[in-house]
Amino acid sequence: RLAKDAGMKYLVITSKHHDGFCLFDTQATDYDVVDATPHRHDLLKPLAAECRKQGIRFCVYYSIMDWYHPAQYRASPEHYNPTKIHAERKAEYLAFMRQQLKELLASCDPDVLWFDGEWPDWYTADDGLEIYAYLRQLKPQIIINNRVGSGREGMEGLDRGDRQYAGDFGTPEQQIPATGRAGIDWESCMTMNDTWGYRQDDQRWKSAATLIRNVVDIASKGGNYLLNVGPTAAGEIPAASVERLREIGHWMQTNGTAIYGTQASPLGALPWGRCTQRQDDGGTTLYLHVFDWPPDGRLALPPISGTITHAYLLADRDHTPLKTDATDRGIVIQVPPTAPDPICSVVVLKK
């Protein structure tokens, strides 16, 4: 419910992290929540059912690196990460992976498989292509991130161009690309503070304003925002996360139209904010996301092709027209002296 109220359209939950412990019932190992804990229940199946009840797409994270499986071993006495593999047992581990992935598809039918832990040198691009083809055979419509392959360019998250790699979208981590890239789907995965899991001593929370502007910045470049929440050992969402998610949801209730289903900005860099667009049979709609409201009431735009037919504030239910003037440098929109929203106000331009 919290995710839905925050405006999220899909949820990614960890099925198996690098430590190898599984939150689902798997026949491939007893190292799972059903066989190795007093809980003795699959955690993913009921969550998948509730997500679908709430209209949220259910997706799962799965780590390729596995510190528990005997085919892999630590790289040094000090570190597990990245693992090495006993060469004679690699085929066994890949078969283990295929079994678990098939179980996940059968038990909770995720819409996205979000891989990670692909960086050990024993896992190859060809391994990724094989796993990708296997999953496509099981569920042709599934979406798979590019970490199923081994072509990711570090934390920038997009594939190198030296050969074919598996995956449907790029995964920048803890960063937002400076610009979008035409024809490439991507999703920035980022934390609310500095850590992915729960840490009581990590109180470096990003503000709600930063998170909302991240949503806008990413959408303006044609990407998705995967925002992490690290629950406590008791399974509770930290209060600071709840507070920020509610603030995001409040902003999305008014401005979600300018985010959902939009495309990257057709304009260059804008000194006052960002732009998203929507194209349909009725023409083109530009959504101007204003971070820095003009104190003189004049919002300046570069030249725009086509004729502007309507301009108004998205927060204004009456769609009261705003005056627009053509200048030698582009377009000027006359806006009220006070911003409707101190974090990000949206001006709608129809043409």
Side-chain angles (χ1 to χ4, degrees):
R1 174 64 69 175
L2 182 62
K4 181 178 181 179
D5 290 346
M8 296 181 181
K9 297 300 185 181
Y10 60 100
L11 180 149
V12 181
I13 181 73
T14 302
S15 66
K16 176 175 78 86
H17 206 263
H18 308 329
D19 59 5
F21 186 76
C22 303
L23 298 185
F24 63 103
D25 188 14
T26 172
Q27 302 305 305
T29 178
D30 289 337
Y31 196 48
D32 63 43
V33 68
V34 175
D35 297 300
T37 77
H39 184 69
R40 305 194 70 81
H41 292 289
D42 188 313
L43 297 183
L44 300 193
K45 286 179 69 174
L47 180 59
E50 185 61 25
C51 280
R52 293 189 174 95
K53 180 180 177 181
Q54 297 296 335
I56 295 175
R57 298 282 189 171
F58 179 76
C59 317
V60 295
Y61 167 110
Y62 184 91
S63 174
I64 294 166
M65 182 167 58
D66 189 319
W67 300 337
Y68 186 79
H69 195 281
Q72 298 180 47
Y73 60 97
R74 63 169 68 214
S76 71
E78 295 79 24
H79 301 290
Y80 276 104
N81 183 11
T83 58
K84 298 295 184 180
I85 200 161
H86 298 288
E88 72 278 7
R89 301 192 69 174
K90 179 177 174 178
E92 172 192 344
Y93 181 70
L94 293 177
F96 171 89
M97 272 183 62
R98 287 192 295 269
Q99 179 180 344
Q100 289 203 318
L101 294 167
K102 185 176 182 179
E103 290 172 336
L104 281 168
L105 265 61
S107 64
C108 54
D109 193 25
D111 292 300
V112 174
L113 270 171
W114 212 103
F115 285 91
D116 195 23
E118 84 289 7
W119 51 84
D121 59 10
W122 56 262
Y123 187 76
T124 69
D126 288 337
D127 293 332
L129 291 168
E130 179 187 341
I131 293 294
Y132 182 88
Y134 173 73
L135 292 168
R136 283 278 179 216
Q137 185 179 34
L138 294 176
K139 184 177 180 179
Q141 70 272 32
I142 196 166
I143 299 171
I144 305 168
N145 73 340
N146 69 336
R147 300 189 189 192
V148 71
S150 60
R152 178 165 60 107
E153 192 77 67
M155 294 302 185
E156 293 180 4
L158 302 179
D159 285 344
R160 301 185 296 272
D162 57 333
R163 59 158 292 171
Q164 179 187 5
Y165 294 102
D168 300 319
F169 63 94
T171 51
E173 183 169 334
Q174 297 290 46
Q175 59 186 278
I176 301 171
T179 62
R181 292 178 61 177
I184 296 178
D185 294 321
W186 57 275
E187 168 199 76
S188 280
C189 56
M190 303 178 74
T191 55
M192 282 196 184
N193 49 8
D194 287 341
T195 48
W196 293 101
Y198 175 74
R199 279 188 58 171
Q200 187 175 7
D201 61 346
D202 183 1
Q203 298 300 315
R204 292 172 56 85
W205 297 98
K206 299 176 181 69
S207 68
T210 294
L211 297 175
I212 290 168
R213 290 182 178 184
N214 282 351
V215 171
V216 172
D217 187 22
I218 290 167
S220 77
K221 297 168 182 175
N224 278 10
Y225 192 23
L226 186 62
L227 182 60
N228 179 75
V229 173
T232 68
E236 297 176 347
I237 305 300
S241 295
V242 173
E243 176 186 347
R244 284 156 178 77
L245 289 171
R246 286 178 174 161
E247 291 189 58
I248 294 170
H250 177 74
W251 186 87
M252 292 293 284
Q253 285 179 359
T254 299
N255 301 289
T257 302
I259 299 293
Y260 300 127
T262 58
Q263 297 171 305
S265 173
L267 308 177
L270 300 168
W272 39 257
R274 302 290 186 270
C275 173
T276 56
Q277 67 171 323
R278 186 186 311 279
Q279 295 181 343
D280 53 37
D281 293 340
T284 299
T285 302
L286 300 181
Y287 300 99
L288 311 178
H289 301 259
V290 186
F291 299 162
D292 301 313
W293 198 253
D296 62 357
R298 293 169 57 85
L299 185 67
L301 290 168
I304 297 175
S305 62
T307 301
I308 297 173
T309 61
H310 202 181
Y312 59 90
L313 295 172
L314 186 57
D316 178 5
R317 295 183 178 180
D318 295 328
H319 292 182
T320 306
L322 299 175
K323 188 174 183 294
T324 61
D325 297 312
T327 71
D328 293 340
R329 297 183 177 181
I331 303 293
V332 172
I333 306 171
Q334 304 291 336
V335 295
T338 304
D341 189 293
I343 295 173
C344 177
S345 300
V346 180
V347 176
V348 182
L349 282 187
K350 289 187 175 291
K351 58 177 187 167

